[in-house]
Amino acid sequence: MNDDTPSHNPLEEQLSALRPRQLSDGFAQRLGERLERQDGEPQGRRPLGTRFFLPVAAIAVLILVALWLVQNFALRENPLLPKQEIVMPGAESHEPPPPQTPGPTLFAYSQAIASGNDGLDELLDRHAATLLPDVPVKESAGQRWPSIE
Amino acid sequence: MDYVRITILIAFFSLLAGPLCGEEPFAADEGPSNAALVYWQAFAMLPELDTEETQLLAQVESGDKPVAAAKAILSRSGMANSLAKSVTPKTDCRWDLIKSGPGTLLPHLGKARLLARLMVLQARADAAAGNSSAAVDQLTAALLVARNVDEGVLIQMLVGDAIESLTLAAAEPLVAKLDAKALDQFADALSQLPPRTTVAQAIAYERDVFGLWLRPFLTGDAEKARAMLAGDDNTFDIKGLLGGTKAERTRRFDEFISAYNKMIEASKLPPEKIHAEFERLELATTKSSNPLVRLLMPAVGRANVRHAEVDKSMAKFEKTVKDAANAAERKD
């Protein structure tokens, strides 16, 4: 384009006659001012707050979202999956649960006497244990006494 | 004059100094004043027996297994045993029950029975090892537990009877193997035991425990009583117990106390009449229209028969030991 060699091509002659538009004086001044403003600030670097907090905030948001997803979906039973029951050894017992042992009250022993000697011995054996069955306490008008239920 | 006062003061303190210098720095230990508290310490040290060990204990007691099979149980019972043996016949025993009618708590009974069973087990082990004196100590300490448990209501009397029966079963075969010294020791210890409760005493005590608790419910305000007993409807049949007018409720209460009094009187009859009379009273109890009598009157007839049997066995045993001690003394 800057070649000064004469050309016999009319188009080329036309094109070589064209000259770039001249920049205005104001443009050069504006450019200089902009360059001065950017001095001392590395080009392309964002402020400290943006550089640090934005990524941290983004990670925090991701973690929260992940936790929410796990809690609400991953830990729930998936209805499409078959249930898996883990049976402990010996858990197949079909024995009924032991009857509730009455507490060591006068009424309980009186009933045991009336039922026969074996009932009384069995009850006394159970009451020989370190931890006795709980006896509910009734309270009324400032008085407390063990319930005989 | 000042010199006179000073001289008097010096003389006074000099008189005091003599006895004070000779005094012990610490007062002598008088021992426990309530055997029940010592027993509770023994209960706290009782081993926890699993089902197998409980069965083993019963098997040794019945003679199905030798006492050596229960060695592990014995090794865990030492402290409880030692504490119980520290109680002497002279120590007062007060269980201080909180009297709450039928809800009166008796948590010591099951534990006292187990403690005594372990003491008798130790006696069997001592006898098997040839240590007669230790066996006699164990057996008399177990009988003392029985007498100390036998304090008030019928159930306490029955547990006392059960402990005495168990102890006699171990003691009777031992008598023939005791030397003169051990027989004297045994006879002496038996004579110092506290007396057994009578059926009349036990029934009277129970009448008072129930009666004192029931009186305000039945002879007082019915609505207040219902509020206090709320929740006990299945056990007490509240409607039957508290229904009717005040006069009807009072009659119901008086009948209840009267039923107890009849049993106390029956217990004082001659031995040949007592059993039949108690059977009759017990039958009347189960058929009574009074809900108090039906629910709360214990099986006194059965208790009376059992107590009379143990009375007889104990008297016979004491005589056997005394006669053997006298015979051994004459031989020497």
Side-chain angles (χ1 to χ4, degrees):
Chain A
M1 200 176 349
N2 295 325
D3 189 27
D4 287 334
T5 311
S7 167
H8 299 292
N9 189 334
L11 182 59
E12 280 186 10
E13 283 174 6
Q14 221 174 8
L15 287 172
S16 64
L18 291 173
R19 287 287 178 268
R21 190 174 169 178
Q22 293 293 325
L23 294 170
S24 64
D25 291 340
F27 175 79
Q29 190 183 350
R30 286 196 301 276
L31 183 61
E33 284 170 7
R34 184 180 275 187
L35 287 171
E36 280 174 13
R37 272 204 307 273
Q38 283 178 356
D39 265 345
E41 222 174 341
Q43 285 214 1
R45 299 287 301 270
R46 290 170 298 199
L48 179 66
T50 312
R51 270 188 289 124
F52 178 72
F53 289 115
L54 271 182
V56 168
I59 290 167
V61 167
L62 283 172
I63 290 171
L64 285 171
V65 168
L67 281 173
W68 182 83
L69 285 171
V70 164
Q71 195 170 18
N72 286 282
F73 294 99
L75 295 181
R76 272 193 199 157
E77 271 187 2
N78 188 334
L80 300 176
L81 292 175
K83 266 192 186 173
Q84 281 183 333
E85 271 187 15
I86 301 169
V87 179
M88 298 301 291
E92 301 87 10
S93 168
H94 296 291
E95 284 180 17
Q100 200 176 4
T101 302
T105 62
L106 180 53
F107 185 72
Y109 287 130
S110 295
Q111 299 292 291
I113 294 170
S115 73
N117 272 339
D118 287 346
L120 178 60
D121 284 345
E122 206 181 298
L123 190 59
L124 287 168
D125 275 343
R126 286 195 228 160
H127 290 163
T130 305
L131 291 175
L132 289 175
D134 187 28
V135 178
V137 174
K138 297 178 74 66
E139 187 162 356
S140 178
Q143 289 190 6
R144 299 172 79 233
W145 67 91
S147 170
I148 61 167
E149 289 175 47
Chain B
M1 289 299 272
D2 286 336
Y3 286 116
V4 171
R5 281 181 194 165
I6 289 168
T7 309
I8 290 168
L9 278 171
I10 290 171
F12 174 71
F13 283 112
S14 301
L15 281 170
L16 279 181
L20 282 175
C21 285
E23 197 161 301
E24 289 290 328
F26 304 107
D29 185 7
E30 291 171 358
S33 60
N34 184 358
L37 293 178
V38 180
Y39 286 134
W40 269 111
Q41 291 177 62
F43 298 158
M45 302 309 295
L46 282 172
E48 189 85 37
L49 301 186
D50 59 29
T51 313
E52 218 176 286
E53 287 171 323
T54 306
Q55 278 174 0
L56 174 60
L57 184 57
Q59 285 167 335
V60 171
E61 286 167 352
S62 62
D64 292 341
K65 285 209 170 149
V67 69
K71 195 175 168 188
I73 298 175
L74 280 171
S75 68
R76 285 155 50 211
S77 314
M79 182 53 77
N81 202 343
S82 172
L83 283 162
K85 273 171 63 182
S86 69
V87 173
T88 69
K90 289 189 173 58
T91 314
D92 193 19
C93 187
R94 300 180 307 278
W95 296 101
D96 281 343
L97 304 181
I98 307 296
K99 292 177 186 138
S100 314
T104 301
L105 282 171
L106 301 153
H108 59 296
L109 292 185
K111 297 181 191 302
R113 182 168 160 272
L114 176 60
L115 174 64
R117 290 175 80 187
L118 294 174
M119 292 170 83
V120 172
L121 182 71
Q122 183 62 58
R124 287 179 189 273
D126 289 333
N131 195 344
S132 304
S133 179
V136 167
D137 273 345
Q138 284 292 138
L139 292 168
T140 50
L143 286 171
L144 187 55
V145 172
R147 299 292 167 93
N148 280 329
V149 156
D150 183 9
E151 185 196 54
V153 292
L154 268 175
I155 178 61
Q156 285 176 268
M157 186 188 79
L158 286 176
V159 171
D161 285 344
I163 295 172
E164 291 207 32
S165 288
L166 170 73
T167 311
L168 289 179
E172 278 156 3
L174 184 65
V175 174
K177 300 174 191 172
L178 295 176
D179 59 21
K181 188 179 168 191
L183 285 166
D184 271 340
Q185 176 193 348
F186 216 163
D188 187 46
L190 289 173
S191 69
Q192 291 188 38
L193 288 174
R196 282 164 55 77
T197 297
T198 63
V199 172
Q201 284 170 328
I203 298 174
Y205 191 95
E206 196 153 303
R207 174 199 61 195
D208 294 345
V209 168
F210 278 126
L212 282 167
W213 185 80
L214 277 169
R215 180 183 283 135
F217 291 125
L218 291 174
T219 60
D221 185 86
E223 287 310 312
K224 255 190 206 167
R226 276 198 186 91
M228 286 177 89
L229 288 172
D232 284 342
D233 47 356
N234 290 333
T235 315
F236 263 127
D237 188 19
I238 291 291
K239 287 179 187 169
L241 194 68
L242 299 178
T245 62
K246 184 172 173 179
E248 284 166 347
R249 293 197 307 275
T250 305
R251 181 185 53 76
R252 200 173 297 139
F253 175 75
D254 291 340
E255 270 178 15
F256 174 64
I257 298 299
S258 169
Y260 263 113
N261 289 337
K262 284 179 190 166
M263 295 217 171
I264 293 170
E265 290 310 309
S267 69
K268 297 173 187 170
L269 289 171
E272 60 275 12
K273 291 184 181 173
I274 196 171
H275 183 60
E277 181 60 10
F278 265 118
E279 270 196 355
R280 189 186 70 77
L281 286 172
E282 211 170 286
L283 190 62
T285 296
T286 56
K287 291 182 177 174
S288 173
S289 58
N290 188 324
L292 280 176
V293 172
R294 276 200 321 274
L295 272 169
L296 299 178
M297 294 291 293
V300 182
R302 229 167 297 174
N304 180 66
V305 166
R306 185 79 186 115
H307 194 66
E309 279 171 8
V310 178
D311 271 340
K312 226 189 259 182
S313 303
M314 198 61 213
K316 185 179 165 192
F317 180 72
E318 284 182 37
K319 187 172 180 308
T320 303
V321 170
K322 212 170 175 180
D323 290 346
N326 290 337
E329 205 178 305
R330 278 194 299 270
K331 243 190 216 176
D332 293 342

